[in-house]
Amino acid sequence: MAMNDLPILSALRTKMQWHQERQRVLSENVANSDTPNFRPRDLVEPTFDRAGSTTGGGVGSLAMMQTSGTHMTASGAPETFDNDRGKSGFQTRPAGNAVNLEDQMLKVSANQMDYAAVTSLYSKSLHLLKTAIGKG
């Protein structure tokens, strides 16, 4: 078994990929903060079972949310983008834009810190495995 095939390393790689994709989505929210009728989006965090396998919401299953009745959807595909839909408590501007820059920037900074923690854990796990097999 290759070191990259270990479930914990696979789960950490999936989590890093999720944080990278979330950063892209959050940056689009910030970039469209003045676009009329734009609604902020976010990704559903992946969940893992005890073996480290993704059980839903992972990077491999990023389906787009159906925003119009004319859009096609995959049957049984879960919604992986979560529109704010007013849950944040902030009002939509008269132009229809619901992006709150403060809220988005808080999410961006939290995402950056979480990504840094996951990459640190990944590199330390690799170093520990290399030490255990005598190559570190």
Side-chain angles (χ1 to χ4, degrees):
M1 173 185 269
M3 282 196 334
N4 287 336
D5 293 338
L6 293 173
I8 185 68
L9 295 179
S10 177
L12 288 171
R13 274 194 316 276
T14 300
K15 188 73 170 170
M16 285 189 293
Q17 291 169 345
W18 179 81
H19 282 296
Q20 290 170 346
E21 184 64 20
R22 185 174 190 224
Q23 193 73 9
R24 186 190 64 76
V25 170
L26 292 174
S27 67
E28 286 179 0
N29 290 347
V30 171
N32 288 302
S33 64
D34 288 329
T35 304
N37 297 319
F38 183 82
R39 299 281 186 247
R41 300 182 300 182
D42 203 350
L43 296 181
V44 175
E45 190 167 0
T47 56
F48 300 95
D49 61 11
R50 291 182 56 85
S53 301
T54 306
T55 59
V59 174
S61 63
L62 290 179
M64 291 297 290
M65 181 176 164
Q66 183 178 4
T67 57
S68 169
T70 59
H71 292 171
M72 294 174 41
T73 60
S75 61
E79 291 182 356
T80 56
F81 284 104
D82 182 29
N83 283 334
D84 192 17
R85 300 192 198 281
K87 290 184 227 170
S88 66
F90 298 105
Q91 293 183 355
T92 303
R93 286 183 260 165
N97 188 302
V99 176
N100 182 299
L101 286 177
E102 292 84 6
D103 186 39
Q104 295 303 309
M105 295 311 292
L106 285 172
K107 288 179 182 181
V108 165
S109 63
N111 190 56
Q112 288 173 336
M113 289 188 296
D114 291 344
Y115 181 79
V118 173
T119 55
S120 175
L121 185 57
Y122 185 80
S123 64
K124 289 180 183 191
S125 297
L126 282 179
H127 180 67
L128 181 63
L129 286 171
K130 288 178 182 178
T131 302
I133 60 174
K135 294 188 179 192

